[in-house]
Amino acid sequence: MRATVHVFLKPGVLDVQGKAVEQALHGLGWSGVEHVRVGRTIEFDLAAKDVAAAEAEVNSMCDKLLANTVIESYRVEVA
């Protein structure tokens, strides 16, 4: 199975990269862009018996390693 994890800073946490991208976009003429947030995507293959087991395993990985759950949230997709 293929797992995709999307990790973003939680609302209210200052996103310095997002602010820099937003300012750069404004400087290039896209002044209507607001509230830019930058995150990361992690993809990997996973040996699992079914989708539910895979999702549980990936959620455990996120909680223990892939996301800093104090300041980040994540979304898991398994296909």
Side-chain angles (χ1 to χ4, degrees):
M1 290 188 187
R2 185 79 173 162
T4 304
V5 178
H6 303 277
V7 182
F8 290 94
L9 290 170
K10 289 181 177 179
V13 176
L14 178 62
D15 186 344
V16 177
Q17 274 188 298
K19 197 61 166 167
V21 170
E22 182 177 318
Q23 290 174 349
L25 290 169
H26 290 176
L28 292 170
W30 290 290
S31 58
V33 174
E34 297 179 0
H35 310 292
V36 175
R37 306 291 283 175
V38 174
R40 65 186 183 278
T41 301
I42 306 163
E43 294 182 332
F44 53 91
D45 292 326
L46 178 68
K49 297 178 184 189
D50 57 51
V51 172
E55 287 175 349
E57 191 172 5
V58 174
N59 281 320
S60 180
M61 292 176 192
C62 290
D63 290 336
K64 292 179 181 178
L65 176 69
L66 301 178
N68 177 350
T69 57
V70 173
I71 61 170
E72 295 175 321
S73 58
Y74 61 87
R75 185 179 79 244
V76 172
E77 299 171 7
V78 176

